[in-house]
Amino acid sequence: MNHSEIVSFLWGVADLIRDTFKRGKYQDVILPLTVLRRLDCVLADTKAQVLQRQGQLKGKGLEDLDAQLRRASGFAFYNTSRYDFEKLLADAPHLAANLRNYIAGFSPNMREVLEKFDFDNTIAKLDEAGLLFQVLERFKNVDLHPDTIDNPTMGTIFEELIRKFNEALNENPGEHFTPRDVVHLMVDLMLATDEDRIRREGIVCTVYDPCCGSGGMLMITKEHITVGLRKNGDLLRPAINPNAEIHLFGQEVNPETWAVSKSDLFMKDPTGRDADNIAYGTVLSHDKHAGRTFDYLIANPPYGKDWKRDEDAVRAEHERGAAGRFAPGLPRISDGQLLFLLHMLAHAKEPKEGGSRIAIIMNGSPLFTGDAGSGESEIRRFILENDLLEALIALPEQLFYNTGIATYVWVVTNRKAPARRGKVQLIDATSFWVPMRKSLGDKRREIPLERSRDILRILADFKDGETRKVAKDGREEEIVIGRIFPTTHFGFRKITVERPLRLNFQASDERIARLEEEKGFQSLAQSKKKGATGAKEQAVGRALQEAIRKLLRTLPATLVKDRHEFERLLDAAARKAGVKLPAPARKAILSALSERDETAAICRDKDGNPEPDPELRDTESVPLAERIEVFFDREVKPHVPDAWIDTSRRDPRDGEIGLVGYEINFNRYFYRYTPPRPLEEIEADIRGIEGDIVRMLAEVTGTQPS
């Protein structure tokens, strides 16, 4: 059977258990038993030697047999139970107890993996329902021996099963599994330009994935370097260096997928080194590889998933500044993608140590979400001002199994080639796809090998204005798919533009009535004191309110367009009436009796400076490459001559006017105008649709269309 047939065969267990397990719980049965069956097949050839060696060593009174039994099994794990799948089924009445004995016979490192499946409860449930024998028999009938199913194919089987479980659970787009075509492209982009470095004799490379899932990205990276690119057994591209020593590291928060990746690596690497380097837990708050740096880092973090569970630890680390991973800034709590990128940058080697290359795939949000000064903008600022972003590649939509959203691969490095320094390459690969023969969930498209190679050519050529011919609406057109910009191109200063406050004043009945709603006026008749003292203050306040009402009615009802003039009239009337106006009451009067008026005189402060009108306040984004004054004189002054820049609002980092922000509006650089269809053509379509509706209604009602 090929891998698809095996997946279908194993998934067929669902027919046996559907009455006992809900659809979302199928993985509790199928995944651990798939792992157990693979382990059973892998250890089958040396099982007799392990049992024999155990007997020999026990007779000598030795207690710590681990190293000897590993050597006997040929792997970093072993099983000392006398059972295997054949012998378990041969003793059906005691199957549950014997299965537990079989699992307990694994070496401690593999038991730790299997415990993450919480399989003991599943055994009890299957036994109680009378299904344990049937389910185990089905798994015994599939041959997962390495001679039949090689390691890369077994990895694909695990990932296909996980994809099906995600579909069954109807997981949100943030909980997706990365398709192989995307992983191969990401690995190629990460390794691009490094072939000569990797080919060096005696090279040792470290690869890290902070959210490694079932380990696919790590394993494919290792395969690209040491085995080459294979498909259906055919070698499509030779290995970069078969003798390279590749060390894999990762961390995963989901217990089941962690167990799959860990067990898979134990089976692939007899030393167990890579498996030992796969840590369990949430990487944002519990970094299990703290202090380590790596040559290559690759990840597909969850999209649009909040980081509330890690919030306290993340914020505390942010407060530590450069001593922590998150010094540049924190994104909004609802989306933690950029935290993973900062985490990866913190694990990059210093340039003097050889530097690192990073490939991370994210949705569009990290490119532009967040205004100047926000956490997202500050993270982009850190990356661009430190010249870490080498390239951004926009991928086609509908590539993932349970989301059709647009995605982008960020290629990040702290050792750019000299020609790339200070520049960022954008590649629009949204048209580089072919339809799949059969859709898998939301995945309806894939990136074929020739298109993937073309993306790598575009990256290597590093040419601004690179074009390709694409088919659109039945005809071929040449479009720009590559642009190169300086890093400063994506930065701007957000300046605050003020306009003067202009008010007219009038002591009309309507405006005087507004005074009752002003808090400064209402507070006159209020007191925080209790008892007689408080009542006395309230009475005094009510008397003052009434005096103010009478005072305002003595003012002329004419419209005054100068605040200074109106204040002079108000003060004169107050002196005449013997009323002393407290500052809050005076402010309330001016607020109630005023209205904005473009023809009125400018309101000025005590120093004669124009007062800004908060309602007319605006902002402008000035490109970093342009002087603020030049931009202001060209873009603002001709339209609002009385405007000025608020020079008090300055960037906290460089102290210059305006907040610095960074965003990458990818689509803007590849926008292609499509003219609307002729009106006559649209009208003809509408008339055709109307005719179809009339005919369908006639068929339903049995009448003839008029």
Side-chain angles (χ1 to χ4, degrees):
M1 292 190 288
N2 61 33
H3 82 272
S4 296
E5 291 169 333
I6 290 173
V7 169
S8 298
F9 181 81
L10 296 176
W11 188 255
V13 170
D15 294 330
L16 297 173
I17 64 175
R18 66 174 69 254
D19 294 331
T20 305
F21 291 83
K22 293 179 181 177
R23 184 173 174 81
K25 294 291 184 180
Y26 291 172
Q27 69 180 47
D28 295 354
V29 177
I30 297 173
L31 201 54
L33 278 173
T34 303
V35 171
L36 276 176
R37 180 56 180 153
R38 176 67 168 179
L39 293 172
D40 192 61
C41 293
V42 165
L43 293 176
D45 297 339
T46 58
K47 183 71 178 277
Q49 291 96 299
V50 169
L51 293 176
Q52 182 183 9
R53 189 61 177 153
Q54 182 192 31
Q56 292 170 348
L57 295 171
K58 273 194 172 180
K60 296 180 179 179
L62 298 175
E63 291 186 7
D64 188 5
L65 313 180
D66 193 66
Q68 296 281 352
L69 296 180
R70 287 188 186 198
R71 193 174 294 114
S73 76
F75 292 92
F77 64 98
Y78 51 85
N79 186 292
T80 57
S81 167
R82 66 185 182 87
Y83 294 104
D84 56 21
F85 270 54
E86 286 280 356
K87 291 175 181 174
L88 285 169
L89 290 165
D91 186 10
H94 306 102
L95 182 55
N98 293 342
L99 180 56
R100 290 187 174 98
N101 175 278
Y102 171 67
I103 293 170
F106 278 102
S107 52
N109 56 357
M110 189 56 75
R111 278 205 309 275
E112 180 195 12
V113 171
L114 296 173
E115 283 168 4
K116 288 293 188 291
F117 290 116
D118 193 23
F119 192 49
D120 195 70
N121 289 330
T122 302
I123 294 172
K125 200 168 183 179
L126 286 169
D127 190 37
E128 186 180 335
L131 295 171
L132 187 58
F133 184 89
Q134 292 172 272
V135 169
L136 212 64
E137 185 179 43
R138 188 173 187 89
F139 277 89
K140 193 237 5 174
N141 289 332
V142 63
D143 184 4
L144 299 181
H145 193 281
D147 291 345
T148 307
I149 304 295
D150 62 18
N151 286 328
T153 304
M154 195 64 220
T156 303
I157 289 170
F158 280 131
E159 291 180 342
E160 280 286 294
L161 286 172
I162 290 170
R163 178 185 65 79
K164 281 182 170 287
F165 298 141
N166 281 350
E167 286 181 359
L169 289 166
N170 194 26
E171 292 281 10
N172 67 56
E175 301 294 333
H176 54 260
F177 154 72
T178 315
R180 284 298 173 102
D181 55 331
V182 176
V183 178
H184 285 296
L185 174 60
M186 289 181 66
V187 171
D188 283 339
L189 290 167
M190 179 177 67
L191 300 179
T193 73
D194 266 21
E195 287 85 355
D196 290 341
R197 171 190 288 255
I198 296 169
R199 288 192 187 101
R200 291 190 307 222
E201 188 176 348
I203 187 73
V204 178
C205 294
T206 53
V207 187
Y208 174 62
D209 183 346
C211 38
C212 65
S214 57
M217 286 186 169
L218 291 171
M219 296 171 197
I220 288 176
T221 301
K222 189 170 186 175
E223 288 167 12
H224 273 229
I225 295 172
T226 60
V227 179
L229 178 60
R230 292 182 179 272
K231 187 173 183 181
N232 300 326
D234 298 325
L235 184 64
L236 304 179
R237 190 172 61 219
I240 300 173
N241 183 353
N243 300 316
E245 189 175 336
I246 309 300
H247 295 230
L248 304 182
F249 296 81
Q251 188 164 336
E252 172 57 27
V253 67
N254 181 282
E256 289 85 6
T257 47
W258 174 82
V260 168
S261 64
K262 188 106 167 169
S263 61
D264 204 18
L265 282 169
F266 269 130
M267 289 180 268
K268 288 179 177 178
D269 176 16
T271 69
R273 180 193 64 208
D274 289 341
D276 290 337
N277 291 335
I278 305 300
Y280 173 68
T282 170
V283 76
L284 296 182
S285 56
H286 296 92
D287 182 5
K288 299 295 181 68
H289 294 294
R292 280 187 177 273
T293 55
F294 307 98
D295 298 295
Y296 300 101
L297 303 95
I298 188 168
N300 179 8
Y303 302 164
K305 189 174 182 181
D306 69 63
W307 44 281
K308 290 178 183 175
R309 65 181 291 184
D310 302 305
E311 183 176 4
D312 291 344
V314 169
R315 292 195 184 281
E317 192 163 348
H318 171 64
E319 293 300 321
R320 287 165 52 196
R325 294 169 290 167
F326 311 117
L330 299 179
R332 62 199 62 200
I333 193 73
S334 60
D335 188 355
Q337 291 177 86
L338 284 170
L339 289 178
F340 284 92
L341 178 52
L342 287 179
H343 167 82
M344 294 167 83
L345 285 168
H347 282 281
K349 287 187 173 180
E350 293 289 336
K352 63 185 179 183
E353 298 172 350
S356 300
R357 285 182 68 81
I358 297 170
I360 181 171
I361 186 167
M362 298 185 280
N363 65 15
S365 179
L367 293 175
F368 52 79
T369 299
D371 202 354
S374 68
E376 292 91 346
S377 179
E378 286 297 293
I379 294 170
R380 291 189 292 268
R381 179 180 185 177
F382 172 80
I383 291 166
L384 288 161
E385 290 188 352
N386 286 281
D387 198 16
L388 298 171
L389 183 59
E390 178 172 290
L392 268 173
I393 299 92
L395 299 186
E397 297 178 353
Q398 302 176 36
L399 282 183
F400 290 87
Y401 295 116
N402 59 348
T403 176
I405 59 176
T407 51
Y408 302 80
V409 178
W410 296 47
V411 180
V412 179
T413 182
N414 56 4
R415 52 176 171 85
K416 283 186 179 182
R420 290 181 176 271
R421 287 172 191 162
K423 298 173 184 176
V424 176
Q425 185 176 11
L426 306 184
I427 300 174
D428 178 13
T430 53
S431 58
F432 287 44
W433 57 272
V434 294
M436 295 181 65
R437 284 180 294 177
K438 181 183 177 184
S439 296
L440 293 171
D442 287 327
K443 183 173 175 60
R444 301 178 181 89
R445 299 170 176 174
E446 61 184 351
I447 303 174
L449 182 59
E450 60 271 17
R451 294 296 180 93
S452 181
R453 285 171 172 163
D454 198 19
I455 293 171
L456 292 171
R457 275 194 296 270
I458 296 164
L459 180 73
D461 290 345
F462 193 56
K463 177 182 172 184
D464 188 36
E466 185 89 54
T467 62
R468 288 293 185 275
K469 289 182 179 179
V470 300
K472 186 178 180 184
D473 299 329
R475 64 178 186 274
E476 200 171 56
E477 63 174 296
E478 191 162 2
I479 62 171
V480 174
I481 47 79
R483 299 297 309 273
I484 295 170
F485 295 103
T487 54
T488 53
H489 179 81
F490 307 106
F492 61 92
R493 284 192 183 274
K494 185 179 179 181
I495 60 171
T496 301
V497 177
E498 300 283 17
R499 291 184 62 194
L501 179 65
R502 298 173 185 267
L503 300 173
N504 67 39
F505 296 83
Q506 189 176 31
S508 64
D509 291 340
E510 179 188 351
R511 297 193 188 187
I512 292 173
R514 294 180 198 162
L515 185 61
E516 306 297 332
E517 305 300 321
E518 294 285 339
K519 288 185 178 179
F521 184 74
Q522 294 171 352
S523 64
L524 293 176
Q526 297 169 354
S527 174
K528 293 182 179 179
K529 296 177 181 176
K530 306 229 183 225
T533 305
K536 183 178 179 181
E537 284 188 358
Q538 291 171 5
V540 171
R542 285 194 294 272
L544 178 56
Q545 285 178 330
E546 185 56 34
I548 291 172
R549 293 186 190 103
K550 290 179 181 178
L551 161 67
L552 296 181
R553 293 191 189 100
T554 66
L555 292 173
T558 54
L559 195 68
V560 180
K561 294 194 174 188
D562 186 321
R563 187 175 70 181
H564 180 70
E565 175 63 21
F566 181 78
E567 286 182 304
R568 190 184 62 76
L569 292 172
L570 177 63
D571 291 340
R575 283 194 299 272
K576 185 176 179 181
V579 176
K580 187 174 181 180
L581 296 174
R586 181 187 180 85
K587 185 177 179 182
I589 292 168
L590 294 174
S591 174
L593 302 191
S594 65
E595 288 184 357
R596 281 173 171 77
D597 183 348
E598 289 185 5
T599 65
I602 294 173
C603 298
R604 298 180 181 274
D605 62 21
K606 58 183 178 62
D607 297 321
N609 299 315
E611 287 186 19
D613 185 343
E615 290 190 8
L616 297 179
R617 183 172 293 140
D618 201 358
T619 59
E620 293 285 343
S621 295
V622 183
L624 282 184
E626 187 167 2
R627 287 180 57 212
I628 289 174
E629 296 78 8
V630 172
F631 176 93
F632 184 76
D633 289 342
R634 184 185 70 245
E635 300 291 338
V636 180
K637 272 289 187 182
H639 308 289
V640 277
D642 58 0
W644 71 92
I645 300 170
D646 182 354
T647 57
S648 67
R649 297 185 185 231
R650 294 176 176 262
D651 186 81
R653 287 182 56 191
D654 65 16
E656 298 295 325
I657 297 169
L659 283 176
V660 172
Y662 279 85
E663 66 176 18
I664 305 174
N665 193 333
F666 198 97
N667 293 334
R668 178 193 301 162
Y669 307 118
F670 297 97
Y671 174 75
R672 295 185 298 277
Y673 173 71
T674 304
R677 292 189 300 153
L679 188 58
E680 296 79 10
E681 205 176 294
I682 297 171
E683 287 177 342
D685 284 349
I686 293 172
R687 284 194 295 272
I689 293 168
E690 287 174 343
D692 291 341
I693 293 170
V694 170
R695 281 191 295 275
M696 285 189 287
L697 287 173
E699 289 174 10
V700 172
T701 59
T703 60
Q704 291 294 322
S706 56

